[in-house]
Amino acid sequence: DQQVKQNSPSLSVQEGRISILNCDYTNSMFDYFLWYKKYPAEGPTFLISISSIKDKNEDGRFTVFLNKSAKHLSLHIVPSQPGDSAVYFCAASEWWDMRFGAGTRLTVKP
Amino acid sequence: DARVTQTPRHKVTEMGQEVTMRCQPILGHNTVFWYRQTMMQGLELLAYFRNRAPLDDSGMPKDRFSAEMPDATLATLKIQPSEPRDSAVYFCASGLANPLQGANIAFFGQGTRLTVV
């Protein structure tokens, strides 16, 4: 039972453009949401997070948006850079029970 | 340089053999997770511990998998007997649970790539 879903396995964008990665969840008890970035042969690394009491959190080129009524969050990367090419995992947690999606592979083309 | 350390990085074993994966969480972290990465399921939560006590291991196949924390600096994940379908990358992560703050960021190790032939 996938509680966190990333329906796009891959996304390709041009350098300098916006990348939008999407994530849906089913458990309304989730109260904290995170995005992780993963390079090959490495573990996922934390990128940005948002509490359920907020609808937006921004950190440099990265912004996460949360729509609680739709149980949907998204990660915007502006502008996209070739170094952003990686697999991005969405995660949702209820306290420390943290569930991940299947990941979206982002490719940023020069 | 605080980081989660996993050993071995790679393991190839024959079906039926016992496999033990080890994890050293970041010093001071009181929550430890085991995840398995597969193509279809992404990062699948197997088990997690708080202060060395198992809080949830419902994601693990109980008949063959076991997870323990013998002490605060070591977490182990064992598979006995191993099967080809267990082939995956297994990640350990740790974090510091603080009831006074909402942030709950888990820090991941580099993973153990297990191949069962």
Side-chain angles (χ1 to χ4, degrees), chain A residues 1 3 27 30 92-99, chain B residues 30-35 44-62 65-69 76-77:
Chain A
D1 179 24
Q3 298 186 52
N27 187 347
F30 287 141
S93 69
E94 178 186 356
W95 188 221
W96 277 91
D97 188 327
M98 191 177 299
R99 307 284 169 162
Chain B
N30 60 1
T31 306
V32 175
F33 306 83
W34 283 104
Y35 287 92
E44 185 184 4
L45 178 63
L46 297 176
Y48 71 101
F49 294 76
R50 169 75 40 72
N51 297 322
R52 297 174 55 200
L55 287 189
D56 187 343
D57 60 2
S58 59
M60 288 199 313
K62 297 289 192 308
F65 284 59
S66 62
E68 295 179 345
M69 281 200 74
T76 61
L77 179 65

Side-chain angles (χ1 to χ4, degrees), chain A residues 1-2 31-32 34 36 38 41-46 49 87 89 93-103, chain B residues 9 31 33 35 37 40-43 45 48 50 56 91 95-99 102-106 108-110:
Chain A
D1 179 24
Q2 285 263 290
D31 55 7
Y32 203 72
L34 309 92
Y36 280 77
K38 185 184 180 303
E42 294 183 9
T45 56
F46 170 73
S49 63
V87 177
F89 288 98
S93 69
E94 178 186 356
W95 188 221
W96 277 91
D97 188 327
M98 191 177 299
R99 307 284 169 162
F100 284 79
Chain B
R9 290 293 310 278
T31 306
F33 306 83
Y35 287 92
Q37 184 184 10
M40 296 304 295
Q41 300 283 352
L43 283 168
L45 178 63
Y48 71 101
R50 169 75 40 72
D56 187 343
F91 287 103
L96 179 61
N98 183 344
N104 51 352
I105 298 168
F108 282 77
Q110 291 186 292

Side-chain angles (χ1 to χ4, degrees), chain A residues 58-78:
Chain A
E58 191 172 352
D59 183 2
R61 296 186 297 114
F62 302 91
T63 303
V64 57
F65 295 92
L66 175 64
N67 183 334
K68 283 186 64 180
S69 61
K71 295 190 176 67
H72 177 84
L73 66 154
S74 61
L75 174 68
H76 292 210
I77 306 174
V78 182

